[in-house]
PDB file of all heavy atoms in Angstrom:
ATOM      1  N   ASN X 228      24.904   7.968 -14.750  1.00 97.00           N
ATOM      2  CA  ASN X 228      24.291   6.662 -14.646  1.00 97.00           C
ATOM      3  C   ASN X 228      24.367   6.002 -13.315  1.00 97.00           C
ATOM      4  O   ASN X 228      23.626   5.068 -12.992  1.00 97.00           O
ATOM      5  CB  ASN X 228      24.910   5.692 -15.671  1.00 97.00           C
ATOM      6  CG  ASN X 228      24.830   6.282 -17.072  1.00 97.00           C
ATOM      7  OD1 ASN X 228      23.730   6.519 -17.552  1.00 97.00           O
ATOM      8  ND2 ASN X 228      25.980   6.591 -17.666  1.00 97.00           N
ATOM      9  N   SER X 229      25.259   6.437 -12.486  1.00 97.00           N
ATOM     10  CA  SER X 229      25.432   5.780 -11.204  1.00 97.00           C
ATOM     11  C   SER X 229      25.487   6.737 -10.045  1.00 97.00           C
ATOM     12  O   SER X 229      25.732   7.917 -10.233  1.00 97.00           O
ATOM     13  CB  SER X 229      26.668   4.894 -11.222  1.00 97.00           C
ATOM     14  OG  SER X 229      27.791   5.742 -11.320  1.00 97.00           O
ATOM     15  N   GLY X 230      25.250   6.190  -8.862  1.00 98.00           N
ATOM     16  CA  GLY X 230      25.268   7.020  -7.687  1.00 98.00           C
ATOM     17  C   GLY X 230      23.874   7.519  -7.326  1.00 98.00           C
ATOM     18  O   GLY X 230      22.984   7.553  -8.199  1.00 98.00           O
ATOM     19  N   LYS X 231      23.718   7.858  -6.080  1.00 98.00           N
ATOM     20  CA  LYS X 231      22.416   8.336  -5.648  1.00 98.00           C
ATOM     21  C   LYS X 231      22.324   9.821  -5.913  1.00 98.00           C
ATOM     22  O   LYS X 231      23.294  10.559  -5.789  1.00 98.00           O
ATOM     23  CB  LYS X 231      22.246   8.068  -4.160  1.00 98.00           C
ATOM     24  CG  LYS X 231      22.261   6.575  -3.839  1.00 98.00           C
ATOM     25  CD  LYS X 231      21.959   6.307  -2.397  1.00 98.00           C
ATOM     26  CE  LYS X 231      22.069   4.841  -2.073  1.00 98.00           C
ATOM     27  NZ  LYS X 231      23.464   4.404  -1.942  1.00 98.00           N
ATOM     28  N   ALA X 232      21.158  10.245  -6.301  1.00 98.00           N
ATOM     29  CA  ALA X 232      20.937  11.637  -6.629  1.00 98.00           C
ATOM     30  C   ALA X 232      19.504  12.072  -6.269  1.00 98.00           C
ATOM     31  O   ALA X 232      18.593  11.261  -6.263  1.00 98.00           O
ATOM     32  CB  ALA X 232      21.203  11.892  -8.105  1.00 98.00           C
ATOM     33  N   ILE X 233      19.397  13.364  -5.875  1.00 98.00           N
ATOM     34  CA  ILE X 233      18.078  13.930  -5.618  1.00 98.00           C
ATOM     35  C   ILE X 233      17.883  15.128  -6.529  1.00 98.00           C
ATOM     36  O   ILE X 233      18.766  15.972  -6.659  1.00 98.00           O
ATOM     37  CB  ILE X 233      17.984  14.394  -4.131  1.00 98.00           C
ATOM     38  CG1 ILE X 233      18.077  13.187  -3.200  1.00 98.00           C
ATOM     39  CG2 ILE X 233      16.719  15.183  -3.896  1.00 98.00           C
ATOM     40  CD1 ILE X 233      18.218  13.562  -1.726  1.00 98.00           C
ATOM     41  N   GLY X 234      16.737  15.170  -7.166  1.00 98.00           N
ATOM     42  CA  GLY X 234      16.399  16.356  -7.968  1.00 98.00           C
ATOM     43  C   GLY X 234      15.333  17.126  -7.283  1.00 98.00           C
ATOM     44  O   GLY X 234      14.418  16.560  -6.690  1.00 98.00           O
ATOM     45  N   ALA X 235      15.421  18.458  -7.322  1.00 99.00           N
ATOM     46  CA  ALA X 235      14.439  19.308  -6.665  1.00 99.00           C
ATOM     47  C   ALA X 235      14.066  20.449  -7.616  1.00 99.00           C
ATOM     48  O   ALA X 235      14.911  21.149  -8.140  1.00 99.00           O
ATOM     49  CB  ALA X 235      14.995  19.894  -5.367  1.00 99.00           C
ATOM     50  N   ALA X 236      12.775  20.623  -7.858  1.00 98.00           N
ATOM     51  CA  ALA X 236      12.316  21.663  -8.739  1.00 98.00           C
ATOM     52  C   ALA X 236      11.223  22.486  -8.026  1.00 98.00           C
ATOM     53  O   ALA X 236      10.179  21.913  -7.631  1.00 98.00           O
ATOM     54  CB  ALA X 236      11.706  21.080 -10.032  1.00 98.00           C
ATOM     55  N   LEU X 237      11.480  23.751  -7.794  1.00 98.00           N
ATOM     56  CA  LEU X 237      10.452  24.582  -7.261  1.00 98.00           C
ATOM     57  C   LEU X 237       9.512  24.981  -8.371  1.00 98.00           C
ATOM     58  O   LEU X 237       9.935  25.587  -9.369  1.00 98.00           O
ATOM     59  CB  LEU X 237      11.009  25.837  -6.555  1.00 98.00           C
ATOM     60  CG  LEU X 237       9.848  26.599  -5.931  1.00 98.00           C
ATOM     61  CD1 LEU X 237       9.423  25.955  -4.639  1.00 98.00           C
ATOM     62  CD2 LEU X 237      10.181  28.059  -5.706  1.00 98.00           C
ATOM     63  N   CYS X 238       8.233  24.613  -8.253  1.00 98.00           N
ATOM     64  CA  CYS X 238       7.268  24.838  -9.326  1.00 98.00           C
ATOM     65  C   CYS X 238       6.627  26.185  -9.133  1.00 98.00           C
ATOM     66  O   CYS X 238       5.515  26.297  -8.603  1.00 98.00           O
ATOM     67  CB  CYS X 238       6.235  23.726  -9.352  1.00 98.00           C
ATOM     68  SG  CYS X 238       6.969  22.053  -9.359  1.00 98.00           S
ATOM     69  N   TYR X 239       7.305  27.209  -9.548  1.00 98.00           N
ATOM     70  CA  TYR X 239       6.778  28.572  -9.355  1.00 98.00           C
ATOM     71  C   TYR X 239       7.287  29.482 -10.468  1.00 98.00           C
ATOM     72  O   TYR X 239       8.467  29.480 -10.775  1.00 98.00           O
ATOM     73  CB  TYR X 239       7.204  29.112  -7.988  1.00 98.00           C
ATOM     74  CG  TYR X 239       6.525  30.413  -7.610  1.00 98.00           C
ATOM     75  CD1 TYR X 239       5.144  30.499  -7.555  1.00 98.00           C
ATOM     76  CD2 TYR X 239       7.290  31.540  -7.313  1.00 98.00           C
ATOM     77  CE1 TYR X 239       4.511  31.681  -7.247  1.00 98.00           C
ATOM     78  CE2 TYR X 239       6.631  32.745  -6.969  1.00 98.00           C
ATOM     79  CZ  TYR X 239       5.279  32.818  -6.937  1.00 98.00           C
ATOM     80  OH  TYR X 239       4.666  33.995  -6.616  1.00 98.00           O
ATOM     81  N   GLY X 240       6.380  30.292 -11.027  1.00 98.00           N
ATOM     82  CA  GLY X 240       6.755  31.183 -12.123  1.00 98.00           C
ATOM     83  C   GLY X 240       7.269  32.522 -11.694  1.00 98.00           C
ATOM     84  O   GLY X 240       7.682  33.326 -12.511  1.00 98.00           O
ATOM     85  N   GLY X 241       7.270  32.837 -10.402  1.00 98.00           N
ATOM     86  CA  GLY X 241       7.695  34.137  -9.943  1.00 98.00           C
ATOM     87  C   GLY X 241       9.013  34.084  -9.216  1.00 98.00           C
ATOM     88  O   GLY X 241       9.825  33.185  -9.421  1.00 98.00           O
ATOM     89  N   ASN X 242       9.254  35.084  -8.343  1.00 98.00           N
ATOM     90  CA  ASN X 242      10.528  35.148  -7.611  1.00 98.00           C
ATOM     91  C   ASN X 242      10.671  33.957  -6.685  1.00 98.00           C
ATOM     92  O   ASN X 242       9.764  33.618  -5.922  1.00 98.00           O
ATOM     93  CB  ASN X 242      10.579  36.400  -6.769  1.00 98.00           C
ATOM     94  CG  ASN X 242      10.684  37.659  -7.593  1.00 98.00           C
ATOM     95  OD1 ASN X 242      10.984  37.589  -8.800  1.00 98.00           O
ATOM     96  ND2 ASN X 242      10.430  38.815  -7.000  1.00 98.00           N
ATOM     97  N   TYR X 243      11.817  33.311  -6.731  1.00 98.00           N
ATOM     98  CA  TYR X 243      12.039  32.141  -5.860  1.00 98.00           C
ATOM     99  C   TYR X 243      13.373  32.264  -5.156  1.00 98.00           C
ATOM    100  O   TYR X 243      14.220  33.108  -5.485  1.00 98.00           O
ATOM    101  CB  TYR X 243      12.012  30.853  -6.689  1.00 98.00           C
ATOM    102  CG  TYR X 243      13.139  30.824  -7.710  1.00 98.00           C
ATOM    103  CD1 TYR X 243      14.425  30.436  -7.367  1.00 98.00           C
ATOM    104  CD2 TYR X 243      12.920  31.222  -8.996  1.00 98.00           C
ATOM    105  CE1 TYR X 243      15.447  30.486  -8.291  1.00 98.00           C
ATOM    106  CE2 TYR X 243      13.919  31.270  -9.946  1.00 98.00           C
ATOM    107  CZ  TYR X 243      15.179  30.867  -9.575  1.00 98.00           C
ATOM    108  OH  TYR X 243      16.188  30.916 -10.483  1.00 98.00           O
ATOM    109  N   LYS X 244      13.537  31.436  -4.147  1.00 98.00           N
ATOM    110  CA  LYS X 244      14.788  31.395  -3.451  1.00 98.00           C
ATOM    111  C   LYS X 244      15.072  29.940  -3.059  1.00 98.00           C
ATOM    112  O   LYS X 244      14.248  29.306  -2.389  1.00 98.00           O
ATOM    113  CB  LYS X 244      14.765  32.290  -2.222  1.00 98.00           C
ATOM    114  CG  LYS X 244      16.145  32.590  -1.623  1.00 98.00           C
ATOM    115  CD  LYS X 244      16.011  33.258  -0.303  1.00 98.00           C
ATOM    116  CE  LYS X 244      16.367  34.737  -0.380  1.00 98.00           C
ATOM    117  NZ  LYS X 244      16.343  35.347   0.964  1.00 98.00           N
ATOM    118  N   LEU X 245      16.265  29.438  -3.453  1.00 98.00           N
ATOM    119  CA  LEU X 245      16.699  28.148  -2.976  1.00 98.00           C
ATOM    120  C   LEU X 245      17.868  28.396  -2.025  1.00 98.00           C
ATOM    121  O   LEU X 245      18.749  29.171  -2.386  1.00 98.00           O
ATOM    122  CB  LEU X 245      17.173  27.250  -4.139  1.00 98.00           C
ATOM    123  CG  LEU X 245      16.275  27.146  -5.383  1.00 98.00           C
ATOM    124  CD1 LEU X 245      16.899  26.197  -6.396  1.00 98.00           C
ATOM    125  CD2 LEU X 245      14.882  26.630  -5.035  1.00 98.00           C
TER     126      LEU X 245
END
Side-chain angles (χ1 to χ4, degrees):
N228 305 298
S229 64
K231 299 187 183 77
I233 294 171
L237 184 77
C238 308
Y239 188 58
N242 291 346
Y243 62 83
K244 194 191 255 185
L245 312 181

